[in-house]
Amino acid sequence: MTSDLAQYSVVLVYSAMAVYLIAFISFILDVAKRSGDVQLERSARQEQRAEARTVATVQGGTVVLERVGAPVDRPRSGSRFERVGMAMMVLGLVIHVGSIVLRGVAAHRVPWANMFEFSLTGTGIIVAIFLAVQFWQNLKFLGVFVSGLVLILLGIATVNFYVDVVPLPPALQSYWLVLHVFVAICGTGFFALGAGLAVSQLVQTYRQGRGGDVKQLRFMETLPDADRLEVMTYRVLLVGFVLWTFTLIAGAIWAERAWGRYWGWDTKEVWTFIIWVIYAGYIHARATRGWRGARSSWLALIGFAAVMFNFSVVNLFFKGLHSYSGL
């Protein structure tokens, strides 16, 4: 029964990946449509400006000058491709959650005790955070980044990290596994979203530095400007930093209960602290040293690269008390 549930979980993983692929393609088509719409709008506005004329009318004894035929700014609404992409992300998450639940039921525990399970749950959290933040801010333009990242991570996890359900090592048989690792996953989700915003900010900065006349990046005109993107990056990463701080503290408490010491310079502990230092430096530099714009975005991306290094290289090639990759 346990093996059957684990296999059903894998089937749902592949099903979720297929849905995320549809979402990715839809978001790509939305980007292409945005570029085309921007070009058409530019042409229409130029024609309107050429045809516009000034008309003088008398209202209540006052001469009023009115620009007839002048271009009018209209708010842009999401395309049908964007709506399809968001719908597929919601459907993909439902299937994704089903795979996580089945894996947990098969293992009789929370499903994040090895690299495969961490990847499975972590990618689900990334999608959930992406969808949840839409109620705070319209970040649908990150759909390409999020769906693409989730597809890559799930593909690597199912091909390279998959392991059968096995009992927990003694050190992991603790309620701290539920709390500590789940908060770490949530922090990683916010760091991933912040990385997507940082990339968008860098691209927008480049486009604006070229006077906005970059044919391949016309769709960026439909996104917030570079300053606004940088502020959103900071706010998202601030939430991730708070969660990561709790992860570091909770990990030390768990280490004392499991191994009798709060800190032992284990490789995983060191890299968790390095990540914390990078993001603390990002927040400090931005708040006190005026590191705004491209410099802060590059630092944010360095932090996310450290997160990915900690998850992949440290787990696979460094031995220590935290070697729970399952491989």
Side-chain angles (χ1 to χ4, degrees):
M1 181 64 178
T2 295
S3 60
D4 290 341
L5 289 176
Q7 289 303 314
Y8 293 150
S9 173
V10 173
V11 171
L12 289 182
V13 172
Y14 284 118
S15 300
M17 289 175 63
V19 176
Y20 288 141
L21 178 60
I22 296 173
F24 178 74
I25 295 172
S26 298
F27 286 126
I28 289 289
L29 293 174
D30 176 61
V31 169
K33 186 177 186 304
R34 284 171 182 258
S35 299
D37 288 347
V38 168
Q39 180 59 28
L40 291 174
E41 184 177 338
R42 279 186 178 181
S43 300
R45 289 174 68 89
Q46 289 173 355
E47 292 177 0
Q48 287 177 339
R49 288 192 183 97
E51 296 175 357
R53 64 187 186 279
T54 302
V55 177
T57 59
V58 178
Q59 298 179 4
T62 303
V63 177
V64 178
L65 298 179
E66 182 180 4
R67 190 75 168 167
V68 179
V72 178
D73 291 327
R74 295 181 176 85
R76 294 186 178 92
S77 58
S79 71
R80 64 180 182 277
F81 296 118
E82 180 184 83
R83 292 192 291 272
V84 169
M86 292 301 295
M88 291 299 100
M89 292 295 280
V90 173
L91 176 60
L93 179 61
V94 172
I95 300 172
H96 198 156
V97 170
S99 69
I100 295 170
V101 171
L102 285 182
R103 179 74 182 195
V105 173
H108 303 289
R109 53 170 170 76
V110 291
W112 48 74
N114 51 59
M115 287 187 69
F116 170 72
E117 293 174 358
F118 190 96
S119 301
L120 180 62
T121 305
T123 49
I125 292 294
I126 290 174
V127 176
I129 291 174
F130 167 70
L131 294 175
V133 297
Q134 306 303 327
F135 295 99
W136 162 66
Q137 188 76 42
N138 183 359
L139 300 182
K140 296 183 180 70
F141 58 86
L142 289 180
V144 173
F145 174 81
V146 173
S147 58
L149 177 66
V150 168
L151 270 173
I152 292 172
L153 294 179
L154 276 179
I156 293 174
T158 52
V159 173
N160 298 306
F161 299 156
Y162 181 80
V163 292
D164 293 326
V165 174
V166 294
L168 286 176
L172 294 184
Q173 296 175 9
S174 169
Y175 63 87
W176 284 105
L177 174 65
V178 179
L179 190 60
H180 167 68
V181 181
F182 180 74
V183 174
I185 293 173
C186 291
T188 301
F190 278 97
F191 288 154
L193 198 63
L197 286 167
V199 170
S200 300
Q201 192 273 337
L202 289 172
V203 174
Q204 194 72 293
T205 299
Y206 170 75
R207 190 189 70 84
Q208 292 177 357
R210 296 287 297 272
D213 188 21
V214 183
K215 293 181 179 180
Q216 295 80 1
L217 301 176
R218 287 193 181 117
F219 71 95
M220 294 295 292
E221 290 188 23
T222 64
L223 272 60
D225 62 22
D227 291 338
R228 178 61 181 162
L229 287 169
E230 196 269 337
V231 170
M232 288 191 289
T233 303
Y234 173 74
R235 291 177 178 176
V236 168
L237 292 182
L238 192 59
V239 177
F241 177 74
V242 172
L243 294 172
W244 199 257
T245 300
F246 178 86
T247 298
L248 194 63
I249 296 172
I253 296 173
W254 188 8
E256 192 277 331
R257 299 194 175 187
W259 302 307
R261 87 292 188 279
Y262 290 100
W263 191 265
W265 296 103
D266 183 75
T267 307
K268 195 74 171 177
E269 295 172 346
V270 171
W271 271 97
T272 301
F273 181 66
I274 288 173
I275 293 167
W276 185 89
V277 169
I278 292 173
Y279 282 107
Y282 163 82
I283 294 171
H284 178 76
R286 187 186 181 279
T288 63
R289 300 294 181 183
W291 271 42
R292 303 294 176 92
R295 289 191 298 179
S296 65
S297 293
W298 279 116
L299 190 54
L301 290 178
I302 290 172
F304 187 63
V307 171
M308 291 292 98
F309 183 87
N310 183 42
F311 169 68
S312 57
V313 176
V314 172
N315 278 340
L316 293 173
F317 300 106
F318 290 86
K319 301 301 179 182
L321 294 173
H322 290 81
S323 299
Y324 298 126
S325 67
L327 303 175

